[in-house]
Every structure is written in structure tokens, then in C-alpha cells.
Amino acid sequence: DIAGFSKRLDNWFWRSQLSVNCDADDWSTDYMSYDILLWGRYAYRKDVGIHLGFWAQAGLQMERVYPVIGFDWTISPRWKLNVVYPVDVALEYVLAKSWTLALAGRFFDSRFRVSRDECTARALVRYTNVGSEFAIRYDNNRMSANIHAGITFAGKFRQANRHNHHAHNFKLDPAAYVGGEVDVKF
């Protein structure tokens, strides 16, 4: 991942990110996918921000572009509502100086190509789902971390041939999940 941000324009905060995903066993471009995020927040008022941008997925013959659109609203010093599809949907409560609780939505969208050695050689696979979760987050100037637990709703698993044709779709049942993230700032 390569990421950057800018506050150069008045009332705007822009962030960008490029992610390149590859198969460590096969470095050909047939096994690479790319995610590009460009997301801006305009400070409309002191307590309201407007969000615009896009999230693009390329590679693996599964190109998609999603709009990043929405708003955030600081309801009070302790409560904040984020409604920014598809990157940040949450109701947050500041518990203490560095601690935040959140009820959030999570969007899952992953894709990959099956190995050349498998019975469905070079097939394309995509997993999409949405979930609802509870999270506890810790933030300070040097790091942020969170632990979250939630449940997915009925998602979809799609498998197609190497040219992304003749797809088979499988509906998934709801399932529980847990996870965590740590970001260290240098």
C-alpha cells in the first residue's frame, strides 16, 4: 500500500491510497489486482463534513468503481455519526480521551484468481457481503488500534472461469466474525 493526504485546499482534506495485491507464488499480472481510493472531506460547517470521491478496483478482469459519498456529523462532543458509503458508516461514542465505542457497518469485497495447479485452474473468485459490528477503538498521536465483533448478512460467493464468464453464484448464510487492526504512525 502507498497512501498520502493533503490539506492544501481550503476546507478540504484529501486522502489517496493505492493497493497492489499479488500472489506470491505467481508474480504475473494475471494474478494481480489493484485498489485505488481518492476520498475528500469538505468542512461544510464546524460540525458537518461532506465526503466525495471514488474507490476503484482493477485487475483480474473484475473492474468496478464505487462512489465515495456521504457526510459526517459531530452531534455533541461525545457523539459522532459517519454516513460515508462504502468506507465509513458508524455511530461513535467517545468513552474517554483516547477510547471510542462504535456501532458500525462493514463492507466486504475481495477477489482473487485460483492457482494454475487447482482443478478450476485460474478461475476468478469474488466474495461480497455486508456486516454490522460493535468496535472498541484506541487512538493517540502515535498509534490506533481496534477490536471488533459482528455478524455478516447473507452475502455472495461468485466463481467464474479465467475469462470471468460462466459464473456460478452461491448465497451465503449469516455468520459471526471478530477482528482487530493496529496502525502505528512514524
Side-chain angles (χ1 to χ4, degrees), residues 116-130:
R116 296 176 198 273
D117 303 331
E118 300 297 324
C119 65
T120 56
R122 300 184 65 215
L124 295 168
V125 176
R126 172 172 239 129
Y127 166 73
T128 55
N129 210 334
V130 295

Side-chain angles (χ1 to χ4, degrees), residues 149-160:
I151 187 162
T152 61
F153 305 116
K156 186 169 75 171
F157 182 83
R158 179 183 187 275
Q159 181 179 356

Side-chain angles (χ1 to χ4, degrees), residues 33-139:
S33 65
Y34 312 89
D35 290 355
I36 302 164
L37 176 68
L38 181 62
W39 173 11
R41 179 190 185 272
Y42 177 73
Y44 179 70
R45 294 189 336 211
K46 182 180 175 185
D47 60 342
V48 176
I50 306 296
H51 297 254
L52 298 169
F54 69 90
W55 170 33
Q57 297 177 327
L60 301 177
Q61 299 177 345
M62 288 192 255
E63 286 73 21
R64 287 190 179 182
V65 177
Y66 298 98
V68 173
I69 188 164
F71 68 93
D72 66 74
W73 174 31
T74 304
I75 301 165
S76 73
R78 290 202 180 264
W79 289 95
K80 184 176 181 185
L81 177 64
N82 301 315
V83 182
V84 185
Y85 171 83
V87 292
D88 186 8
V89 177
L91 178 61
E92 300 177 348
Y93 177 75
V94 177
L95 189 60
K97 181 181 177 186
S98 298
W99 293 92
T100 304
L101 304 176
L103 290 174
R106 186 173 291 262
F107 299 90
F108 299 93
D109 190 342
S110 60
R111 62 212 190 279
F112 65 92
R113 185 180 292 278
V114 175
S115 168
R116 296 176 198 273
D117 303 331
E118 300 297 324
C119 65
T120 56
R122 300 184 65 215
L124 295 168
V125 176
R126 172 172 239 129
Y127 166 73
T128 55
N129 210 334
V130 295
S132 180
E133 67 187 35
F134 173 75
I136 300 172
R137 189 175 65 234
Y138 175 80
D139 285 302

